[in-house]
Amino acid sequence: MNNGFFLTRRFFPLFWVQFLGAFNDNLFKNALVMLITFRLAESPEQAGLLITLAAGIFILPFFLFSAFAGQLADKYEKTALIRKIKLAEILIMLFGAMALMTQSVELLFAVLFLMGVQSAFFGPIKYAVLPEHLADQELLDGNGWFSASTFVAILLGTIAGGWVVLTDGGETGMAAAILVVAVLGYVASRFVPVSAAGDASLTVQWNLWRNTRQEMALRHDFPQAFFAVLAISWFWFLGATYLSQIPVLVADQLGGDDKVVLLFLTVFSVGIALGAWLAGRYQKPVRSLTNVRWLVWLLMAISVAILIGNLAMNQVVLADDLVGISMFLTQWPSVVVLVTMLLIATFGGLFTVPLYTLLQVKTPHHFRSRMVAVNNITNALLMVVSSVFIMALYAFEFDLTQILYSVALLNLLVAFWYLKRGRVLTQPS
């Protein structure tokens, strides 16, 4: 992995801008979830409803504004946009601090929506600007750093947001934290180098629905880039499925307590980071889809890991009470499930990083932000499909192991599509 560029001005400030943004999002989101669960909700049913609503409120702006944000990022100079977005984050977090202090559900949800809007506008820029600051041979490593650090930021935000806000005076501490992180993100943005000029001739479409349809039509113009979008989005489906079910898996299937849940979340994040590092270390430079066709084997390996994990889960003997980490690790079936979780996440990190690079190199400069926006919309859509899929299977009285078997089967079907479609797109025209 070539890390010579990491501390240079063309990468280091941008790295911290995106890391602090992801960290702050999850810091606030998880503080909100913990407040709802333990203080604001009047019943477990109301807590579940409000938490589900919160997830929908945060993801809604990606459907509404990603295409518009992609157009703006292709029309105007990207570094100036980054600084404006980070400045807006400070203002949003001022309202966030007020919401935390007053514990107003309505204000908390309003701030959550604005955070989603801010993230939807930043998303198309961060991956589109990277090829402008990094050489071709550095791009894969840059994407690896972005992917790995994003999941580390999610993990740290989840832990800190859930822990700090419920301590004595935690609302005040959390309010200060989100403001400080937002200010640090803006400071970092001031050091991001100016990017290439945008396409001044591009007409911005203000009709959001028509804009989204127009941007999604880019899939016909850049088929290899859109292939990468679909493959990346499939992993987001897998990731959303697993991350949403980790508490259920640990408590009901493995008999672990909340600390074991945190262990699984940590292992998943470490696995993504490890896979991203391996991609930068061993993946050859990505020039076309031909360089990433081998990734189909990783999809197959994920299905095998799910199968092994499920078989091990069936061997777990549950104790009368939930067990902590030390007791949990003395049971070999539980350790096997933990290892399969690490493997699934590692294969996922190794799978997505080359695909992000393929998306970038197969989309021309003046369309790149819009194609990243298409990726964000599709990611969000697949995450929603994951939730609907899980709820539907639970409604048909599937248990978690049966749901995971279904996911493994779907994953094999996607692997078949990946192989077949990849062969079609790499054939000489």
Side-chain angles (χ1 to χ4, degrees):
M1 194 172 191
N2 174 24
N3 294 324
F5 64 88
F6 183 77
L7 294 177
T8 64
R9 187 181 173 190
R10 55 198 175 91
F11 182 78
F12 195 62
L14 184 61
F15 170 85
W16 281 108
V17 168
Q18 67 88 30
F19 179 87
L20 292 168
F23 176 72
N24 222 16
D25 281 350
N26 286 276
L27 195 63
F28 184 85
K29 279 194 300 182
N30 285 281
L32 182 151
V33 166
M34 296 301 283
L35 284 175
I36 287 173
T37 303
F38 293 103
R39 291 188 185 173
L40 303 180
E42 297 178 357
S43 67
E45 292 76 17
Q46 188 185 45
L49 177 63
L50 290 175
I51 290 170
T52 303
L53 179 61
I57 286 173
F58 184 77
I59 206 169
L60 179 62
F62 289 89
F63 290 106
L64 295 178
F65 301 112
S66 285
F68 179 67
Q71 282 194 345
L72 288 180
D74 277 336
K75 182 176 179 66
Y76 299 105
E77 194 271 316
K78 295 178 181 62
T79 301
L81 289 175
I82 290 172
R83 292 169 182 168
K84 288 180 173 66
I85 291 168
K86 290 289 113 179
L87 198 58
E89 183 180 346
I90 297 175
L91 180 61
I92 292 169
M93 287 309 171
L94 281 171
F95 287 105
M98 292 171 53
L100 288 169
M101 297 292 289
T102 61
Q103 296 190 26
S104 163
V105 173
E106 295 80 8
L107 187 54
L108 284 166
F109 277 9
V111 171
L112 187 64
F113 178 80
L114 291 175
M115 288 174 59
V117 173
Q118 186 258 152
S119 296
F121 274 83
F122 181 63
I125 298 175
K126 69 175 184 178
Y127 279 108
V129 77
L130 206 55
E132 299 180 23
H133 295 317
L134 298 183
D136 290 346
Q137 66 272 19
E138 298 170 332
L139 190 55
L140 190 70
D141 294 333
N143 285 321
W145 278 111
F146 267 24
S147 295
S149 63
T150 295
F151 276 87
V152 171
I154 290 172
L155 174 67
L156 294 177
T158 299
I159 295 171
W163 170 62
V164 173
V165 77
L166 295 181
T167 60
D168 291 336
E171 303 91 339
T172 304
M174 187 56 60
I178 60 175
L179 278 171
V180 169
V181 174
V183 170
L184 289 175
Y186 176 71
V187 171
S189 75
R190 300 299 305 177
F191 293 92
V192 176
V194 174
S195 64
D199 182 4
S201 65
L202 177 64
T203 301
V204 175
Q205 173 62 256
W206 293 93
N207 184 312
L208 298 180
W209 171 244
R210 187 182 303 165
N211 200 348
T212 301
R213 290 179 57 192
Q214 179 179 309
E215 299 311 304
M216 291 300 291
L218 287 173
R219 66 187 187 275
H220 301 300
D221 299 324
F222 312 111
Q224 290 199 19
F226 190 64
F227 175 88
V229 166
L230 293 177
I232 292 167
S233 298
W234 173 250
F235 179 71
W236 278 100
F237 175 96
L238 292 176
T241 300
Y242 259 91
L243 286 173
S244 67
Q245 297 306 301
I246 280 177
V248 178
L249 183 151
V250 170
D252 295 347
Q253 302 292 327
L254 303 176
D257 63 12
D258 58 335
K259 294 181 178 61
V260 180
V261 172
L262 182 58
L263 173 65
F264 268 74
L265 291 172
T266 302
V267 165
F268 192 88
S269 298
V270 169
I272 293 288
L274 176 60
W277 177 83
L278 289 171
R281 180 70 176 83
Y282 294 108
Q283 168 70 47
K284 295 179 180 178
V286 176
R287 302 281 185 254
S288 71
L289 203 157
T290 303
N291 303 122
V292 298
R293 285 183 60 186
W294 72 275
L295 297 177
V296 68
W297 294 104
L298 294 177
L299 288 176
M300 295 180 182
I302 287 173
S303 287
V304 171
I306 294 173
L307 176 62
I308 293 172
N310 275 9
L311 293 174
M313 267 193 283
N314 292 332
Q315 302 301 315
V316 173
V317 178
L318 295 177
D320 293 334
D321 298 314
L322 298 180
V323 301
I325 293 176
S326 58
M327 184 63 69
F328 178 85
L329 294 177
T330 63
Q331 304 178 54
W332 72 263
S334 300
V335 174
V336 170
V337 176
L338 186 64
V339 171
T340 59
M341 179 67 73
L342 176 65
L343 290 174
I344 290 167
T346 301
F347 294 152
L350 186 53
F351 179 74
T352 54
V353 169
L355 289 168
Y356 275 114
T357 307
L358 178 66
L359 186 161
Q360 292 162 328
V361 300
K362 299 306 290 185
T363 308
H365 163 67
H366 288 312
F367 289 93
R368 193 174 289 134
S369 295
R370 280 170 282 176
M371 184 54 75
V372 176
V374 169
N375 177 66
N376 292 346
I377 294 169
T378 312
N379 290 173
L381 177 62
L382 265 289
M383 291 169 68
V384 172
V385 169
S386 166
S387 299
V388 173
F389 173 75
I390 292 170
M391 288 189 292
L393 292 188
Y394 275 132
F396 283 102
E397 299 185 349
F398 278 52
D399 62 27
L400 183 56
T401 54
Q402 291 171 324
I403 290 174
L404 294 179
Y405 279 129
S406 302
V407 169
L409 178 59
L410 280 177
N411 192 57
L412 287 176
L413 295 176
V414 171
F416 176 75
W417 165 84
Y418 188 101
L419 188 64
K420 185 176 180 180
R421 183 61 178 164
R423 184 180 296 121
V424 170
L425 291 177
T426 52
Q427 287 176 348
S429 55

